[in-house]
Amino acid sequence: MTRPGENHRTDHTPYPVGLRLAGRRVLVVGGGHVAQRRIPALIRAGADVVVVSPDVTPSVEGLTGVLTWHAREFEPADLDGAWYALALTDDPAVNAAVAEAAEERRIFCVRGDDASESSAWTPAVGRHGHLTVAVLANREPRLSAGVRDEIMTGLRDGTISARAGLDTTAGVVLVGGGPGDPELVTVAARHALASADVVVADRLAPRELLDELPAHVELVDVAKLPRGRHTTQEVINETIVNRALEGKRVVRFKGGDNYVFGRGYEEVIACQEAGVPVTVVPGLTSSISVPARAGIPVTHRGVAHEFTVISGHVPPGHPTSLVDWSAVARMRGTVVLLMAVENAPLIATTLMEGGRDAGTPVAVVVEGTLPEERTVLTTLGSLAADLVAHEVRPPAIIVVGQVVAVAKPGHYGLA
Ligand code: SAH
């Protein structure tokens, strides 16, 4: 006689399905690292997760409240009311008992230790917008994870087009592209680019990603906009608003984060005034990530308890300057200067006059995270001369403070 479920031990291909677990009980037996990896997706699916295990990892314990934890051994009655079960202990005998009790109750059960004895398999999963990718291989988890990774990469870089899974409604999305290395854009930024009809890109936005845009996407390169009666910013505002009013989905793509000296909020206001829906995808700002990639932390325990990010595009003492440079000079923490190459000599003098030591270490990171990246190490007193000597041109970030010496010792007469 064939026992129910015996077929699953043969080599039939699995039948894929998407379980809608919201509000349904799912039993997880075991609370170790395997369970810890599986539980978040169950919670995300809205399942009523019940964990049975004498011990659980601290992060599973931290989820009590979202899930129910019974701190004891498994009993077959734990399956009562469950729609799905996962046997994830490190004891094969316990997993076998769970699988057998589940089989009797016709509840599908995953065994973490033995796929050939499982009535269900967990696929390798990836998510892209509203799209879920699930890959099953025949008991070869490395193969399924590898294929999943390839698909996810294709979806992100546009090799596989999946606009269907993304929000493509008309409007404007302000997207921060990070400091320049395309590896440093967020997943949300990738999704936004894949959803765009129009991309309005700045000079400092990661250019390589623009090459990946499908042919139907209109690319407006802000660096190439003709200069005329209007300022460039007015032209940009008009462009994004008008395209959105034509029913297009417009991505305003910039370097770093749109709200850090990016004029992003001016664009938000322009959209709001025109009644155009506008959303924001924050980016990794160059003010922190460029020093980090160059090996310099902006804070360090016992060294700097604050960092100040300042735009140097207006020189100290200029009537339109909004910076209290004497206050900055009195502070002890790290100063990160953006757009400051031209005014750096005057800024250095102002900081020294305000009390900062001429020997304060300074790092100038040029073209951070890009193939041409280089770092010039100097001091406040020598900054002006070294910018000339090393032919520093924008984009560059100037980091002033002892954190530079912590990361790059030996260049300042320090140990
Ligand atoms: N919104 C951006 C900053 C715009 S201001 C952000 O959050 O990063 C432009 C200035 O940023 C440049 O003049 C330079 O000081 C700095 N910058 C941006 N990208 C940089 C990079 N890859 N390397 C060095 N400096 C960079």
Side-chain angles (χ1 to χ4, degrees):
M1 201 191 106
T2 311
R3 285 204 304 124
E6 194 166 321
N7 277 344
H8 73 252
R9 296 201 184 89
T10 66
D11 269 337
H12 287 295
T13 52
Y15 179 79
V17 64
L19 297 182
R20 301 182 64 211
L21 294 175
R24 305 192 203 272
R25 177 165 306 171
V26 173
L27 177 69
V28 178
V29 182
H33 289 101
V34 183
Q36 183 177 318
R37 281 215 308 272
R38 295 285 162 81
I39 288 170
L42 295 169
I43 290 174
R44 185 169 166 171
D48 167 18
V49 178
V50 177
V51 176
V52 175
S53 177
D55 305 298
V56 296
T57 66
S59 57
V60 173
E61 187 170 4
L63 289 169
T64 47
V66 189
L67 52 73
T68 311
W69 172 33
H70 298 303
R72 55 165 173 75
E73 303 288 344
F74 164 73
E75 296 160 9
D78 291 330
L79 285 157
D80 293 347
W83 290 73
Y84 192 57
L86 297 92
L88 305 177
T89 75
D90 52 14
D91 183 344
V94 173
N95 291 347
V98 176
E100 199 180 316
E103 191 74 35
E104 280 165 12
R105 289 164 175 78
R106 296 172 184 248
I107 297 168
F108 281 101
C109 179
V110 170
R111 264 185 76 167
D113 58 332
D114 188 350
S116 64
E117 293 294 325
S118 296
S119 58
W121 291 344
T122 306
V125 174
R127 292 185 213 276
H128 181 81
H130 305 299
L131 199 73
T132 299
V133 173
V135 180
L136 288 164
N138 196 7
R139 283 172 269 163
E140 294 153 283
R142 282 217 191 108
L143 175 61
S144 50
V147 171
R148 183 264 327 267
D149 291 345
E150 295 275 323
I151 295 171
M152 295 316 292
T153 304
L155 287 169
R156 280 176 197 140
D157 67 20
T159 323
I160 303 172
S161 163
R163 282 169 59 92
L166 301 171
D167 182 356
T168 55
T169 51
V172 172
V173 192
L174 304 188
V175 177
D181 179 346
E183 290 280 298
L184 294 177
V185 306
T186 64
V187 174
R190 291 264 188 195
H191 288 171
L193 285 172
S195 76
D197 301 307
V198 182
V199 174
V200 181
D202 271 5
R203 197 171 52 81
L204 287 177
R207 310 296 295 191
E208 281 168 59
L209 297 177
L210 303 177
D211 296 340
E212 293 172 1
L213 291 173
H216 71 269
V217 178
E218 181 194 0
L219 177 62
V220 180
D221 190 339
V222 169
K224 293 186 186 145
L225 282 181
R227 305 201 175 247
R229 212 155 40 84
H230 297 290
T231 68
T232 311
Q233 188 61 48
E234 282 172 333
V235 177
I236 295 167
N237 292 354
E238 270 170 30
T239 306
I240 60 176
V241 164
N242 289 342
R243 294 291 197 285
L245 290 174
E246 286 165 16
K248 304 273 171 61
R249 185 165 180 85
V250 182
V251 164
R252 175 72 178 105
F253 192 47
K254 286 193 235 207
D257 183 276
N258 304 55
Y259 288 170
V260 179
F261 310 136
R263 304 191 69 168
Y265 210 75
E266 293 172 49
E267 294 164 8
V268 169
I269 292 168
C271 289
Q272 286 170 344
E273 284 176 355
V276 166
V278 56
T279 52
V280 179
V281 175
L284 216 54
T285 176
S286 65
S287 56
I288 302 171
S289 57
V290 163
R293 264 295 187 83
I296 301 164
V298 293
T299 71
H300 186 63
R301 188 174 145 88
V303 176
H305 286 182
E306 86 230 350
F307 64 96
T308 312
V309 179
I310 302 175
S311 167
H313 77 290
V314 174
H318 190 276
T320 64
S321 173
L322 297 174
V323 181
D324 183 343
W325 287 101
S326 60
V328 176
R330 282 198 308 279
M331 290 198 293
R332 296 195 198 159
T334 310
V335 178
V336 182
L337 300 165
L338 272 59
M339 297 186 277
V341 173
E342 194 183 328
N343 293 319
L346 187 55
I347 291 170
T349 309
T350 309
L351 290 177
M352 289 185 289
E353 282 171 3
R356 291 255 181 165
D357 196 286
T360 307
V362 174
V364 183
V365 189
V366 190
E367 309 249 16
T369 81
L370 296 166
E372 304 77 21
E373 172 175 328
R374 63 194 171 107
T375 301
V376 175
L377 295 171
T378 179
T379 58
L380 260 192
S382 308
L383 176 60
D386 274 334
L387 289 176
V388 175
H390 294 275
E391 298 181 350
V392 171
R393 310 255 178 285
I397 284 198
I398 303 174
V399 186
V400 180
Q402 292 302 327
V403 287
V404 174
V406 170
K408 312 277 179 189
H411 295 272
Y412 318 92
L414 306 166

